[in-house]
Amino acid sequence: MMKPDVVHPVGVIGGTGLTSLSGLEITRQWEASTSWGEPSSMLSEGVISGQPVLFLARHGDPHRIPPHRVNYRANLQALYDAGVRTVVGVNAVGGIHPEMGPARVVIPDQLIDYTWGRASTFFEDDLEHTTHIDFTYPYSEPARQILLDAAKRISQPVSGFGVYAATQGPRLETAAEIARLERDGCDLVGMTGMPEAVLAAELGMNYVCLALVVNWAAGKTEQVITMADIEAAIDQGMAGVRTVLEASIEPLGSLAHR
């Protein structure tokens, strides 16, 4: 794969359990500003394996912004303005598919959006013409393959498929809602997959999801979902997310624009 003439940093948006990135040699941090407002956190610039990286904490640092209050437009715009053209969204999710239990790393290939009331597009006001983007495949397949190849190379077990159900939050779902999502064909459920993915697509960025299952979805077991169990799954599984991410950074930096 040929290196681009201009080396663009890879953007990493960290979710629950990933407010910083180990292995990132930080060279500077700054507070970005966009026409859509302020992003969730400062941008942290650094290098992993020789590849420039920009890290942003989706829920802020400390973790205090709920999923429905994240300024997704400002986050993506800030990364784009800083030169990012490939983004890895790290997401904590609930598992619906039998293979996707707590601490499992998943690289989904599809999503269904169940969110509502979120600012979900850059194309709203004062437009010269109406714009409809192709969103048939919400995740960059070349970026997905890079993550899958990296996982195989470092012997990190992952699920390389999955339909991500993006729900509104911040509450967790009912058992009946999860049963409906399963009937719809969903394998995972999370609260931050949209509109992040579509905003990246509108900007022409490669976007890929690297998910960590932190609990069985409601009704999939008889146990009550507790924050203690979620935190235990994060502690157990986040190391796998980090190793896949770090092993993928250099080739991700070589991707052409969407």
Side-chain angles (χ1 to χ4, degrees):
M1 185 178 293
M2 295 291 291
K3 283 280 187 180
D5 294 335
V6 178
V7 177
H8 290 279
V10 173
V12 177
I13 301 178
T16 300
L18 191 69
T19 56
S20 61
L21 189 60
S22 64
L24 180 65
E25 302 171 12
I26 295 176
T27 56
R28 70 177 180 125
Q29 292 180 303
W30 74 95
E31 295 182 357
S33 179
T34 79
S35 58
W36 307 102
E38 307 298 319
S40 298
S41 73
M42 291 195 300
L43 297 183
S44 297
E45 182 179 49
V47 177
I48 295 178
S49 301
Q51 169 62 44
V53 175
L54 279 177
F55 180 83
L56 186 152
R58 183 186 292 113
H59 298 284
D61 188 11
H63 185 291
R64 62 185 177 215
I65 306 173
H68 65 300
R69 291 294 192 184
V70 172
N71 190 338
Y72 295 95
R73 290 191 293 192
N75 287 352
L76 271 298
Q77 189 69 60
L79 290 172
Y80 185 88
D81 291 347
V84 170
R85 297 297 181 267
T86 297
V87 178
V88 181
V90 179
N91 300 87
V93 299
I96 300 174
H97 190 283
E99 181 180 308
M100 299 174 188
R104 183 71 172 182
V105 178
V106 183
I107 303 167
D109 58 352
Q110 272 295 341
L111 64 79
I112 301 177
D113 187 11
Y114 299 91
T115 65
W116 50 269
R118 301 183 182 189
S120 59
T121 181
F122 291 111
F123 302 122
E124 282 191 332
D125 302 315
D126 302 320
L127 302 177
E128 294 182 2
H129 55 82
T130 302
T131 301
H132 304 284
I133 65 161
D134 181 1
F135 202 51
T136 306
Y137 302 102
Y139 304 117
S140 163
E141 189 57 28
R144 278 192 1 96
Q145 290 303 318
I146 286 173
L147 293 182
L148 290 169
D149 290 346
K152 182 176 181 180
R153 189 169 66 251
I154 62 176
S155 300
Q156 170 62 46
V158 300
S159 295
F161 68 95
V163 178
Y164 180 121
T167 58
Q168 180 69 1
R171 68 169 177 84
L172 297 174
E173 299 74 31
T174 68
E177 287 170 332
I178 293 300
R180 182 191 68 160
L181 297 182
E182 190 167 20
R183 289 193 299 271
D184 285 352
C186 299
D187 302 301
L188 303 164
V189 58
M191 302 174 189
T192 55
M194 284 290 284
E196 196 169 274
V198 72
L199 292 171
E202 286 186 349
L203 289 170
M205 305 166 87
N206 297 297
Y207 181 88
V208 65
C209 173
L210 181 58
L212 175 65
V213 180
V214 298
N215 59 274
W216 283 112
K220 302 306 291 183
T221 70
E222 295 182 357
Q223 295 180 336
V224 174
I225 301 170
T226 67
M227 285 307 300
D229 290 338
I230 289 174
E231 289 167 0
I234 290 173
D235 290 342
Q236 181 182 352
M238 193 53 71
V241 170
R242 293 177 189 272
T243 55
V244 171
L245 187 56
E246 290 167 9
S248 305
I249 285 294
E250 186 176 4
L252 285 171
S254 301
L255 282 181
H257 303 167
R258 183 184 176 103

